[in-house]
Amino acid sequence: MSDKQFEINVNPDWIKKYLSKIVLVVAALIVLFSAVKTVGPEEEGVVIQLGEYNRTVLPGLNFIIPFAETMYKIPVQRQLKQEFGFRTSSAGTQSDYVKSGYGDESMMLTGDLNLTDVEWVVQYRIVNSYNYLFKVRNAEKTLNDMSEAAMRKIVGDRTVNEVLTVGRQEIATSVEVLLQELCDEYENGIRIDQVVLQDVNPPEPVKPSFNAVNEAQQERETLINQADADYNRVIPRARGIAEETIQLAEAYALNRVNGARGEAERFNSVYAAYIKAPEVTRQRLYLETLEKVLPKIGNTIITDEAGSNVLPLLNLNKAIQNPTP
């Protein structure tokens, strides 16, 4: 069909008749799509009417007055986060991070005037959407500035060794508490869930020196632990041996003292008997002494002074053990 034939077949009256209806339908569709808002399950909607807060709506389909009301969707049930010193370029099983360009956030001065590179994450939730929108201008940027200020304050009160080693968890906890206090003071409607130190390193130019110092400290701790182990193994054993020796000496001394006292008592009793009957006591002692000595003599030969007569002494042990009937 040629252009001329098309122009002839189009009826101008038909266009005039339905044009108003088409405009009304299009306008109705625009108004309908502008009036119906869907709020997600993790969100709540804050409705602004003519620039003033009007109401807060729950998840689901909600209606607003087109051109007179505006809705802001606030993720109140979702955990949000802010990253400092790095950014996540792609999240997944193996996330990729970008650090270049964010050194100004992470480079900090410690209390002993050393520099350290601190990367951390602030995890938070929006618990009051009204305060989040109206009490603070640009709450996200304000939280970012407060987080950086809190971290610099806490790190600035500690030495570089504390920041790099044993003080990391305590620093994260202190920053979390301080940051929550600032949020409550600003009434920004944010609750801090957690502050996590991702990585803490010395600046790149001095990192080899710091690593050498850390290795020396670890070696020192290892040697100290080994020395403590040797001490705990040797010293208690030596103390036990010393205590055993002392107890044996005390037992020996007690035995000798008691024996000496018994001998003294026996001598005193013999002396008392000797005073009463000297001859009898002397004879008794002589016989008791012979009784002890003679069994140990064995074979004995008795001669006279000239040695002419030899008289073998009987074996007293055999004679005693096997007496003649």
Side-chain angles (χ1 to χ4, degrees), residues 26-38 62-71:
V26 173
L29 291 175
I30 294 175
V31 170
L32 179 62
F33 282 108
S34 301
V36 177
K37 299 292 183 182
T38 302
N62 293 274
F63 298 91
I64 63 173
I65 302 174
F67 310 110
E69 293 181 341
T70 304
M71 176 183 291

Side-chain angles (χ1 to χ4, degrees), residues 110 116 118 158-172 197 199-202 210-211 213-215 217-218 221:
T110 62
T116 182
V118 182
R158 285 155 180 80
T159 64
V160 66
N161 288 331
E162 290 178 315
V163 176
L164 293 174
T165 56
V166 297
R168 296 182 56 173
Q169 183 58 46
E170 192 269 338
I171 289 173
L197 292 184
D199 199 6
V200 182
N201 290 307
F210 270 88
N211 292 336
V213 171
N214 289 332
E215 291 176 359
Q217 291 178 345
Q218 292 175 0
E221 293 296 329

Side-chain angles (χ1 to χ4, degrees), residues 82 132 136-147:
Q82 289 186 349
Y132 180 79
V136 178
R137 178 179 296 176
N138 198 343
E140 291 287 333
K141 179 63 168 61
T142 303
L143 178 63
N144 186 286
D145 294 341
M146 289 193 301
S147 301

Side-chain angles (χ1 to χ4, degrees), residues 230-279:
D230 293 339
Y231 176 88
N232 294 330
R233 183 177 63 254
V234 174
I235 297 302
R237 182 172 179 273
R239 287 175 179 170
I241 294 175
E243 188 66 25
E244 180 183 4
T245 303
I246 293 172
Q247 291 178 358
L248 290 175
E250 291 177 349
Y252 177 77
L254 183 61
N255 184 46
R256 292 300 299 271
V257 169
N258 291 335
R261 288 175 178 174
E263 291 293 330
E265 291 293 333
R266 189 180 67 83
F267 178 81
N268 290 334
S269 63
V270 172
Y271 179 72
Y274 178 80
I275 294 299
K276 294 179 181 179
E279 291 299 330

Side-chain angles (χ1 to χ4, degrees), residues 5 31 45 75 103 117 128 166 180 206 210 216 286 297-298 300 305 310:
Q5 292 176 340
V31 170
D117 190 7
N128 191 317
V166 297
Q180 185 61 62
V206 297
F210 270 88
Y286 175 75
I297 291 177
T300 304
E305 294 180 358
V310 178

Side-chain angles (χ1 to χ4, degrees), residues 16 84 103 118 127 133 148 173 195 216 240 243 258 295:
K16 292 179 181 180
F84 298 85
V118 182
V127 295
L133 286 176
E148 188 173 343
T173 303
V195 175
E243 188 66 25
N258 291 335

